[in-house]
Amino acid sequence: MILLSTAMAGCTAPVGPGGPSAGAGAAAGLAGAAAEAGAGAGQVADRGAPRPPAVVPLTLPGLARVEEESSSEAVARQQAAGRAALATARRWGLERLPAQAPPRPAVRPELKAGQGVKLAPGRPPVVYRVPTDEKIVFLTVDDGAEKDPEFSRMAAELGVPLSVFLADYLAREDYGYFRRLAAQGDVVNNHTVNHRDLRLLGYDQQRDEICRQQDQLEQQIGVRPRLFRPPYGEYNDDTLRAAASCGIEAVPLWNEEAFPDRMEYRYDDQRLHPGDIILTHFRGPSLWNGTMTDLLRKVVKEVGAQGFTLARLDDYL
């Protein structure tokens, strides 16, 4: 029987130069037979070439079930994330979360004189609208009187970026509130010490108002501001010259102003435009018909309804 098996194996596997050795065993012979049997009609097997061992697909027990479970887990995670996002939006009176800001541009847009930008040699640019084709706008919050923790929490949970402009006399009682805003990614900028109409002051007085607030904010927040907004949006050449001497790089103003119950537009079309800057204030119900959270909800709804996204002004100026 042993001799017969060996002879049969020798018949099915070619023996000769380059062929399997006598010690290859029956497994190699069977593999060669399978390879030759697989040649199509009209094909001639190369009986002198070595044959690779047959490749047998490996099937692991339960592999399909594991893949199915992994897919189900991914779907379950996505569904859970969707429910959490919906719950966050509804907690703040919204039907959905606002669209998130695009990535910070690698290079800030070049500012050229024209509609929305005023340039003068040796002076920081005055900007009403950032030059961009993206459907983004910027929310800026001035003064610092109201320090509503629900407002800062709402902005953080909704992912709304803010640029803050502080007047020292209003903010100084609790700079800790604004340090916490800065810690969650919002940028704190300069709005003078005493919020005076700078046009009524001489150069030295204007420089004191601006530069002293630069020093105060660097001490309180830990970063020296790059942006400055004059109180009431009023300025003259002395204002820009003084601001430049303190390291200010741009003076953003605004095209819209937001309140808890409405938006006021500068232009007749009553619409947002790419790069527009929106002004609002840290104010409470004693001055407004609503709260800071009412204000933010109004802005998010208005911006989203017009197909825009809120971005961080300091990333673009």
Side-chain angles (χ1 to χ4, degrees):
M1 291 296 292
I2 295 174
L3 293 173
L4 179 59
S5 299
T6 304
M8 290 179 65
C11 290
T12 56
V15 178
S21 66
L30 291 173
E36 186 170 334
Q43 294 180 330
V44 179
D46 183 356
R47 296 182 179 274
R51 300 183 182 278
V55 177
V56 180
L58 178 63
T59 303
L60 296 178
L63 180 61
R65 187 177 70 253
V66 170
E67 291 178 347
E68 182 179 346
E69 289 174 356
S70 298
S71 176
S72 298
E73 289 172 359
V75 170
R77 284 194 298 271
Q78 291 175 353
Q79 291 175 340
R83 289 192 296 269
L86 183 59
T88 299
R90 287 179 174 174
R91 179 161 59 249
W92 299 111
L94 299 168
E95 294 182 359
R96 63 184 64 86
L97 291 181
Q100 296 304 288
R104 176 180 179 173
V107 179
R108 293 186 176 95
E110 181 182 1
L111 299 178
K112 298 180 180 179
Q115 185 180 19
V117 179
K118 296 181 180 180
L119 300 179
R123 308 291 188 261
V126 178
V127 182
Y128 292 84
R129 178 181 294 154
V130 173
T132 179
D133 294 327
E134 292 185 88
K135 294 198 73 174
I136 55 174
V137 292
F138 309 97
L139 181 59
T140 62
V141 194
D142 281 13
D143 296 352
E146 183 74 9
K147 303 166 185 69
D148 183 353
E150 287 296 285
F151 171 74
S152 60
R153 179 182 168 216
M154 181 180 182
E157 290 191 3
L158 296 180
V160 175
L162 308 171
S163 291
V164 174
F165 293 82
L166 294 184
D168 179 66
Y169 92 101
L170 292 169
R172 67 171 66 121
E173 68 180 24
D174 186 7
Y175 267 111
Y177 177 82
F178 302 104
R179 281 193 291 272
R180 291 188 290 274
L181 276 179
Q184 68 186 36
D186 300 317
V187 182
V188 176
N189 292 295
N190 190 330
H191 199 42
T192 74
V193 173
N194 295 303
H195 203 276
R196 299 176 65 183
D197 185 340
L198 296 177
R199 298 172 304 167
L200 306 179
L201 306 180
Y203 172 80
D204 290 339
Q205 291 174 298
Q206 291 199 46
R207 191 176 188 282
D208 178 69
E209 282 284 334
I210 300 168
C211 296
R212 193 148 53 92
Q213 182 65 343
Q214 286 286 89
D215 296 339
Q216 173 74 312
L217 291 174
E218 184 174 21
Q219 178 182 349
Q220 294 290 343
I221 307 300
V223 179
R224 194 167 184 83
R226 296 174 43 258
L227 306 183
F228 162 70
R229 174 174 284 160
Y232 315 107
E234 301 292 356
Y235 68 95
N236 56 25
D237 187 64
D238 280 346
T239 310
L240 301 181
R241 187 159 61 97
S245 76
C246 304
I248 293 299
E249 298 178 18
V251 178
L253 298 183
W254 62 90
N255 282 322
E256 293 85 25
E257 185 169 358
F259 301 87
D261 58 348
R262 68 188 189 281
M263 290 271 286
E264 293 184 355
Y265 294 85
R266 182 184 300 273
Y267 297 102
D268 291 340
D269 63 2
Q270 300 292 287
R271 302 286 296 175
L272 296 170
H273 304 87
D276 272 0
I277 300 171
I278 303 170
L279 165 70
T280 193
H281 296 84
F282 288 100
R283 291 178 182 167
S286 62
L287 295 173
W288 267 347
N289 184 28
T291 65
M292 292 291 293
T293 55
D294 293 332
L295 158 81
L296 191 54
R297 183 164 42 252
K298 177 63 178 176
V299 171
V300 167
K301 286 183 175 180
E302 188 83 11
V303 169
Q306 295 189 40
F308 283 81
T309 302
L310 288 162
R312 181 175 289 103
L313 179 64
D314 304 76
D315 292 344
Y316 290 77
L317 287 183

